[in-house]
């Protein structure tokens, strides 16, 4: 799914509005991804967030902020260590970009960070 949506605004919009949207994706991922796959999944979700190959130094601008809710809703199912690693990375890239901060505000995440 993510490969089909990467770098394609029309597919993203269609997925969000017509197919089943990000709430269903979140539900599927929470119920079917086990702990062994969690790290790979979060790496893929970061790629999806920036719509390219994510890099916390060079490529960190949020281009698909709709995926933020999925990323945060999946946190309780992860271990404390995985949660901390995610939040460390996410906080770092959020504070490096005003645009990322704006997306977090719109998603009501700024208080969490």
């Amino acid at each position: 799914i993510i490969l089909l949506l990467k770098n394609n605004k029309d597919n993203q919009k269609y997925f969000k509005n017509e197919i089943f949207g990000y709430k269903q994706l979140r539900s599927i991922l929470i119920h079917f991804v086990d702990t062994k796959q969690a790290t790979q999944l979060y790496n893929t979700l970061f790629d999806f967030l920036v719509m390219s190959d994510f890099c916390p130094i060079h490529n960190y601008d949020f281009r698909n902020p709709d995926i933020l809710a999925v990323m945060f809703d999946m946190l309780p199912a992860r271990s404390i260590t995985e949660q901390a690693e995610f939040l460390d990375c996410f906080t770092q890239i959020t504070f490096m970009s005003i645009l990322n901060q704006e997306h977090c505000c719109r998603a009501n995440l700024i208080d969490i960070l």
Side-chain angles (χ1 to χ4, degrees):
I1 292 172
I2 291 171
L3 291 175
L4 290 172
L5 300 176
K6 259 176 123 170
N7 296 320
N8 191 320
K9 295 269 187 205
D10 291 335
N11 283 354
Q12 290 171 30
K13 184 177 178 182
Y14 187 78
F15 175 81
K16 180 179 176 183
N17 296 325
E18 303 295 331
I19 297 179
F20 57 61
Y22 291 100
K23 288 182 182 180
Q24 280 296 105
L25 177 63
R26 176 175 53 226
S27 177
I28 291 168
L29 294 175
I30 287 172
H31 293 296
F32 294 106
V33 174
D34 64 23
T35 307
K36 295 175 186 174
Q37 298 168 322
T39 302
Q40 179 59 38
L41 174 62
Y42 269 103
N43 291 340
T44 303
L45 290 175
F46 271 112
D47 288 348
F48 195 30
L49 179 65
V50 300
M51 299 309 292
S52 183
D53 294 326
F54 171 75
C55 174
I57 297 169
H58 303 291
N59 189 19
Y60 53 81
D61 288 330
F62 300 174
R63 290 186 174 85
N64 183 19
D66 292 323
I67 202 71
L68 289 171
V70 175
M71 296 173 86
F72 275 85
D73 285 350
M74 292 183 62
L75 277 179
R78 308 283 61 102
S79 72
I80 297 296
T81 303
E82 290 170 330
Q83 290 178 28
E85 289 172 358
F86 167 79
L87 289 172
D88 285 345
C89 180
F90 190 85
T91 302
Q92 175 189 355
I93 63 173
T94 298
F95 289 112
M96 291 171 63
S97 166
I98 296 293
L99 181 62
N100 290 357
Q101 292 172 30
E102 180 182 341
H103 288 306
C104 288
C105 286
R106 288 184 184 169
N108 298 316
L109 294 175
I110 208 68
D111 292 336
I112 294 171
L113 299 174

